[in-house]
Amino acid sequence: MEKIISTISSYVWSDFFIYFCLIVGLYFSIRTGFLQVRYIKDMLRLLFKKKQSEEGISSFQAFALAISGRVGTGNIVGVATAIYMGGPGAVFWMWIIAFLGSSSAFIESSLAQVYKQREGNDFRGGPAYYIEKGLGVKWYALLFAIITIISTGFLLPGVQSNAINGTITNAFNYSNEVIELGGMELTVSWVGIVVVAMLSIIIIGGVKRLGQASEYIVPFMAGAYILMAIIIIGLNFSQIPAIFSLIFSSAFSLDATFGGVIGMAIAWGVKRGIYSNEAGQGTGPHAAAAALVKHPAQQGLVQAFSVYVDTLFVCTATALMILFTNQYNVVETFDASGKAVTILANNMPNVVGDGYTQAAVSSIFPAIGNQFVAIALFFFAFTTIMAYYYYAETNIAYIFKGKKIKSLIWVLRIVFLFSVYFGTIKTAELAWNLGDIGVGLMAWVNLIAILLLSKTGMKVWKDYETQRKQGIEDPIFEPKKLGIKNADFWEENNK
């Protein structure tokens, strides 16, 4: 089964798809005039703008909810795996996909705002909504919704809970128990039981409780982790030029040690970059649609900035900790003559990358390193699981809109909590391969959709940019003036 899943994952993440992700990001960057550079001040201003109504959630809550989905296991284990498989050069390609992908995140999040729907005092939206309303292709919208429910409801949560269980095992000498029940051996994970219990309390509270929980947990977890990274960087300040030189040289195979892995560096940098920051994947727009703003581009800019926070800040913090402390994919062994030599762990399948970050922090702070990373990853992964639930619920609401879905929501909750628990008792390889399939399938469908909707996305951007150049601090969105149809919420709101 693991071989079959691995084969499917390799087909989904083909070389063509890797370069397709880069090309889409480059296309939107050029079309928007590299807004990810020119509008950073607006991103920060909008991020902390207060909500002035009881409807929806604030821009910061939507940012925090999206960050809770973006900042997760990918920022710790994913970065380590990228370095393990592609060498230090993979970090450079993670930066590239984050820079280019922020423009894709802007387009998808703006489209989610354009075509969002009101449900009571909440808003729902996302790729399924803008595919149906913007493209008018119902079957394609249903395809995305079904893939997203399967991916975020079953395939992806296990990656996060598996990592939680793994780092806690490393840090606290904990292991799952095997008990005999009726002649059968069952694996019991107490970590899984605790995580499921905590999640149950939050997800039953709905989107507002998810937004509120993210608003408090995300700044704390990201701040503490980045602070630890800053301390380690400060202690190794003199190495900064050498480490950045290593990253750039190995990214283009200029470093002799990593000369043969440029293809792996690009592939794993992009693959783990997208897994981490989710730019173009189609998950971020769900959170973006829930925010109350005056113009769709405002939330698009906030979500573009969230990609920066995820990859340029958090992923880079992890990468530098690993590279500074030399705790990555290089192992010392001996050749036939007994001489000590260095071998890349890429050629040693028994060496895994999951413990690199813990090893890196522990090498500086041996008393607390393992435990700190385990606790940080717990918060990172836990909030990501929360976001996954919201994405799955939103797509169920899309498929069965206008109908009573309470019973279906409860089915989702049960299946979702089971997949979270199951992740703590399955192998890491199986968990990651299932997760990669989920991310890849969603990204395939969504990237094609936003390319087809690029005309609408650019109308939204040009309208916002024009009004800002006129000195209007909070531009107003009027879809009819722009020739945008089916933007029901905005049409009703402007009456």
Side-chain angles (χ1 to χ4, degrees):
M1 178 59 73
E2 288 197 10
K3 285 183 178 179
I4 293 171
I5 297 296
S6 178
T7 301
I8 295 171
S9 177
S10 67
Y11 282 125
V12 172
W13 285 94
S14 63
D15 288 345
F16 173 82
F17 182 55
I18 296 290
Y19 291 107
F20 179 60
C21 293
L22 289 167
I23 290 167
V24 171
L26 179 61
Y27 170 74
F28 284 123
S29 296
I30 294 171
R31 288 289 307 274
T32 59
F34 290 90
L35 63 82
Q36 60 265 58
V37 176
R38 295 190 298 119
Y39 276 77
I40 287 180
K41 278 181 69 176
D42 259 31
M43 293 176 188
L44 293 169
R45 177 180 64 84
L46 294 166
L47 180 59
F48 299 104
K49 189 173 180 62
K50 289 188 177 180
K51 184 181 68 163
Q52 299 183 357
S53 165
E54 290 301 312
E55 293 182 314
I57 59 178
S58 69
S59 284
F60 184 78
Q61 286 178 327
F63 167 81
L65 185 57
I67 280 288
S68 69
R70 298 186 200 279
V71 177
T73 299
N75 297 80
I76 297 179
V77 180
V79 173
T81 307
I83 294 172
Y84 165 62
M85 295 300 297
V91 178
F92 172 81
W93 294 104
M94 291 184 82
W95 292 339
I96 292 298
I97 195 61
F99 177 74
L100 298 177
S102 62
S103 64
S104 303
F106 169 83
I107 295 294
E108 64 181 358
S109 298
S110 296
L111 289 170
Q113 272 287 329
V114 170
Y115 297 108
K116 70 183 179 183
Q117 290 184 183
R118 187 196 304 271
E119 289 191 11
N121 285 333
D122 296 330
F123 304 120
R124 286 196 188 274
Y129 292 81
Y130 58 66
I131 290 170
E132 180 185 351
K133 291 184 173 186
L135 291 178
V137 186
K138 178 75 173 179
W139 70 265
Y140 197 58
L142 285 171
L143 175 65
F144 180 86
I146 291 167
I147 288 173
T148 302
I149 292 167
I150 294 170
S151 297
T152 60
F154 184 71
L155 299 179
L156 287 163
V159 178
Q160 309 297 327
S161 56
N162 181 275
I164 290 173
N165 196 66
T167 53
I168 287 177
T169 297
N170 290 341
F172 301 103
N173 295 318
Y174 157 85
S175 60
N176 293 339
E177 292 183 21
V178 177
I179 62 171
E180 198 169 307
L181 188 66
M184 294 176 61
E185 288 190 345
L186 297 176
T187 302
V188 176
S189 169
W190 292 106
V191 170
I193 291 171
V194 170
V195 171
V196 165
M198 292 175 65
L199 273 172
S200 301
I201 296 168
I202 295 174
I203 65 176
I204 291 171
V207 60
K208 289 202 171 178
R209 187 176 292 178
L210 286 168
Q212 289 162 357
S214 300
E215 183 178 24
Y216 292 106
I217 296 173
V218 168
F220 165 74
M221 72 177 189
Y225 189 73
I226 292 174
L227 179 61
M228 176 63 80
I230 289 171
I231 293 170
I232 291 177
I233 292 168
L235 293 172
N236 295 273
F237 188 78
S238 62
Q239 294 185 51
I240 290 178
I243 291 300
F244 275 87
S245 174
L246 175 65
I247 290 171
F248 287 115
S249 61
S250 58
F252 298 99
S253 291
L254 300 177
D255 185 281
T257 310
F258 301 97
V261 295
I262 182 171
M264 296 289 281
I266 297 172
W268 282 92
V270 173
K271 187 175 183 178
R272 285 291 166 257
I274 291 177
Y275 187 94
S276 176
N277 63 47
E278 301 184 354
Q281 181 187 329
T283 47
H286 296 93
L292 180 66
V293 292
K294 291 185 176 180
H295 196 288
Q298 291 177 320
Q299 188 55 207
L301 288 169
V302 167
Q303 295 303 323
F305 184 71
S306 73
V307 174
Y308 282 171
V309 171
D310 173 272
T311 306
L312 300 186
F313 295 164
V314 185
C315 284
T316 300
T318 298
L320 291 179
M321 286 193 289
I322 292 171
L323 297 175
F324 274 138
T325 56
N326 204 32
Q327 302 293 323
Y328 60 108
N329 63 343
V330 174
V331 208
E332 188 173 78
T333 186
F334 298 91
D335 63 15
S337 65
K339 181 183 176 182
V341 294
T342 297
I343 294 181
L344 293 183
N346 300 63
N347 302 320
M348 302 183 67
N350 293 327
V351 179
V352 294
D354 296 17
Y356 289 163
T357 312
Q358 283 181 303
V361 179
S362 293
S363 69
I364 304 293
F365 302 102
I368 62 166
N370 276 338
Q371 292 78 4
F372 174 81
V373 175
I375 293 168
L377 187 135
F378 171 82
F379 282 114
F380 279 39
F382 186 81
T383 52
T384 299
I385 296 171
M386 284 167 37
Y388 285 160
Y389 172 77
Y390 174 66
Y391 303 152
E393 184 183 291
T394 296
N395 283 278
I396 283 182
Y398 165 77
I399 293 175
F400 299 97
K401 54 193 170 189
K403 299 176 184 177
K404 293 181 179 178
I405 59 170
K406 282 189 177 179
S407 57
L408 288 171
I409 295 297
W410 276 104
V411 170
L412 170 66
R413 287 169 179 168
I414 292 167
V415 172
F416 184 84
L417 293 172
F418 168 77
S419 68
V420 170
Y421 179 80
F422 182 61
T424 62
I425 61 174
K426 65 185 176 187
T427 66
E429 184 180 0
L430 178 60
W432 276 95
N433 279 329
L434 287 171
D436 283 340
I437 291 170
V439 170
L441 290 176
M442 289 175 66
W444 260 113
V445 176
N446 184 59
L447 287 173
I448 292 171
I450 63 175
L451 279 174
L452 294 173
L453 284 166
S454 60
K455 188 176 180 181
T456 301
M458 288 309 301
K459 282 181 180 179
V460 173
W461 169 240
K462 291 298 182 184
D463 179 58
Y464 179 83
E465 188 178 35
T466 300
Q467 293 189 55
R468 287 294 288 124
K469 285 178 179 178
Q470 292 171 351
I472 301 171
E473 189 171 277
D474 284 319
I476 301 296
F477 181 61
E478 298 179 87
K480 281 190 176 179
K481 285 186 177 180
L482 302 175
I484 297 174
K485 299 177 181 178
N486 300 322
D488 304 329
F489 165 78
W490 296 96
E491 290 170 7
E492 290 172 12
N493 206 46
N494 289 335
K495 287 178 181 177

